[in-house]
């Protein structure tokens, strides 16, 4: 619990709470406004594309730039965009077409930014803790994120029913800004090396190709990639269609969407604990 790790851990744990509020707010707002599972699927697909296309580029970019700087900039940009979306839904709740376009734009922008934010976050953690504490910090990191997701999901549906989508979006935007402010005071070690600017693009391209060659050439890792994609293909529609199941089939309040998501999180947490305690 050194100062740098504490600043990063507290800021991002708060941000995770806000992210759960954002997910529940956008899912239920979209369902209430359009009652269209097709639009929800389209939003999910377009939001996922940046991670697929930019994920490898984000990792190579982070290797050459300040990881703290990437985290701060990403959180500021995501916070500002979500606050603007919340403001639009609050000021013009009847402007459906404008709100839909804005929701799609903000969701895509948030995920583009996250393609650089995520590798920066996971790369900065080991940089700011002693080497012999990396495993402990990773365990604490995962535990706190799961707890934040569990709490956010458990109360998110109830807060949506009581406060509405704009309030949850405002909360998410503020947690992004708080996380950026917290990360701003982190002292990170200097980059090991700085490449000449004219060679950076060529070296980034080579690093990306090398990572693909490595993943494809490792027995087990290649199969794990395909298995993860296979599971995500079938798991994502379940999460996406739960709001329709809750309101249209079960005929219950949105609170139960949060309760079901939190149960999903409990199962994930149990799986983490179980897989970490057995020797295979």
């Amino acid at each position: 619990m050194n100062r740098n790790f504490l600043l990063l851990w507290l800021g991002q744990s708060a941000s995770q709470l806000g992210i759960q509020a954002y997910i529940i707010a956008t899912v239920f707002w979209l369902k209430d406004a359009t009652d269209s599972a097709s639009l929800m699927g389209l939003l999910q697909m377009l939001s996922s594309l940046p991670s697929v296309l930019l994920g490898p580029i984000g990792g190579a970019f982070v290797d050459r730039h300040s990881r703290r700087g990437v985290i701060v900039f990403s959180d500021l940009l995501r916070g500002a965009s979500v606050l603007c979306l919340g403001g639009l839904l609050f000021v013009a709740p009847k402007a459906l077409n404008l709100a839909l376009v804005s929701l799609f734009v903000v969701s895509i922008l948030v995920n583009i930014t996250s393609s650089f934010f995520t590798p920066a976050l996971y790369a900065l953690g080991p940089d700011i803790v002693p080497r012999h504490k990396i495993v402990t910090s990773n365990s604490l990191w995962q535990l706190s994120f799961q707890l934040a997701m569990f709490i956010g999901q458990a109360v998110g549906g109830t807060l949506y029913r009581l406060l509405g989508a704009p309030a949850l979006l405002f909360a998410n935007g503020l947690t992004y800004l708080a996380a950026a402010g917290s990360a701003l005071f982190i002292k990170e070690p200097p980059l090991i090396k700085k490449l000449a600017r004219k060679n950076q693009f060529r070296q980034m391209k080579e690093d990306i190709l090398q990572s693909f060659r490595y993943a494809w050439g490792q027995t087990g890792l290649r199969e794990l990639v395909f298995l993860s994609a296979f599971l995500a293909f079938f798991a994502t529609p379940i999460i996406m269609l739960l709001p329709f199941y809750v309101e249209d089939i079960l005929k219950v309040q949105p609170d139960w969407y949060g309760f079901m998501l939190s149960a999903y999180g409990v199962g994930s947490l149990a799986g983490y604990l179980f897989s970490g305690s057995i020797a295979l």
Side-chain angles (χ1 to χ4, degrees), residues 178-189:
S182 178
L184 194 61
F185 295 97
I186 294 174
K187 294 182 179 179
E188 64 176 332

Side-chain angles (χ1 to χ4, degrees), residues 17-275:
L17 286 171
I19 289 172
Q20 303 312 311
Y22 172 84
I23 293 172
I24 291 176
T26 54
V27 163
F28 267 102
W29 181 88
L30 189 58
K31 182 190 181 300
D32 291 342
T34 67
D35 199 34
S36 172
S38 299
L39 270 179
M40 199 173 294
L42 179 63
L43 177 64
Q44 181 72 26
M45 183 193 72
L46 293 177
S47 299
S48 301
L49 276 178
S51 298
V52 176
L53 300 176
L54 298 178
I57 299 175
F61 180 87
V62 164
D63 281 341
R64 289 160 176 78
H65 297 83
S66 166
R67 290 155 185 178
R68 184 195 64 179
V70 172
I71 290 172
V72 170
F73 179 80
S74 299
D75 278 336
L76 287 175
L77 183 59
R78 294 188 296 180
S81 60
V82 172
L83 285 174
C84 289
L85 178 61
L88 174 63
L89 295 185
F90 180 77
V91 173
K94 302 298 185 181
L96 179 59
N97 291 335
L98 177 61
L100 281 174
V101 171
S102 300
L103 174 59
F104 273 73
V105 170
V106 169
S107 297
I108 294 172
L109 179 62
V110 165
N111 281 275
I112 289 175
T113 310
S114 297
S115 299
F116 296 87
F117 167 84
T118 301
L121 179 65
Y122 285 107
L124 180 60
D127 284 346
I128 58 177
V129 298
R131 183 176 296 273
H132 66 283
K133 292 291 186 180
I134 289 178
V135 174
T136 303
S137 67
N138 284 340
S139 300
L140 180 61
W141 196 262
Q142 291 298 328
L143 178 62
S144 64
F145 269 32
Q146 288 297 321
L147 287 176
M149 290 175 62
F150 173 76
I151 295 171
Q153 291 165 350
V155 302
T158 303
L159 292 178
Y160 174 82
R161 177 171 56 84
L162 296 175
L163 303 177
L168 294 186
L169 293 176
F170 283 138
N172 179 217
L174 293 176
T175 58
Y176 275 136
L177 298 183
S182 178
L184 194 61
F185 295 97
I186 294 174
K187 294 182 179 179
E188 64 176 332
L191 293 174
I192 296 176
K193 60 179 180 179
K194 288 184 180 272
L195 300 175
R197 187 172 297 275
K198 62 180 180 181
N199 295 326
Q200 283 191 7
F201 179 77
R202 185 195 314 162
Q203 189 61 47
M204 284 178 61
K205 178 182 177 182
E206 180 57 33
D207 287 353
I208 293 170
L209 293 176
Q210 183 179 355
S211 67
F212 279 115
R213 287 194 294 266
Y214 177 82
W216 186 260
Q218 296 296 312
T219 302
L221 183 57
R222 179 176 62 243
E223 288 77 3
L224 181 61
V225 170
F226 284 114
L227 178 61
S228 298
F230 180 81
L231 293 176
F233 181 83
F234 289 101
T236 301
I238 295 175
I239 303 299
M240 185 186 70
L241 294 174
L242 266 182
F244 296 89
Y245 179 70
V246 167
E247 289 194 330
D248 300 342
I249 307 299
L250 297 181
K251 308 293 185 182
V252 293
Q253 296 285 355
D255 310 45
W256 282 93
Y257 176 67
F259 298 156
M260 289 183 178
L261 285 184
S262 63
Y264 190 86
V266 169
S268 298
L269 184 59
Y272 284 132
L273 295 174
F274 177 73
S275 62

Side-chain angles (χ1 to χ4, degrees), residues 1-22:
M1 273 298 182
N2 66 69
R3 175 181 177 274
N4 290 327
F5 180 78
L6 186 62
L7 287 169
L8 185 65
W9 178 63
L10 289 176
Q12 295 307 319
S13 295
S15 179
Q16 280 298 314
L17 286 171
I19 289 172
Q20 303 312 311
Y22 172 84

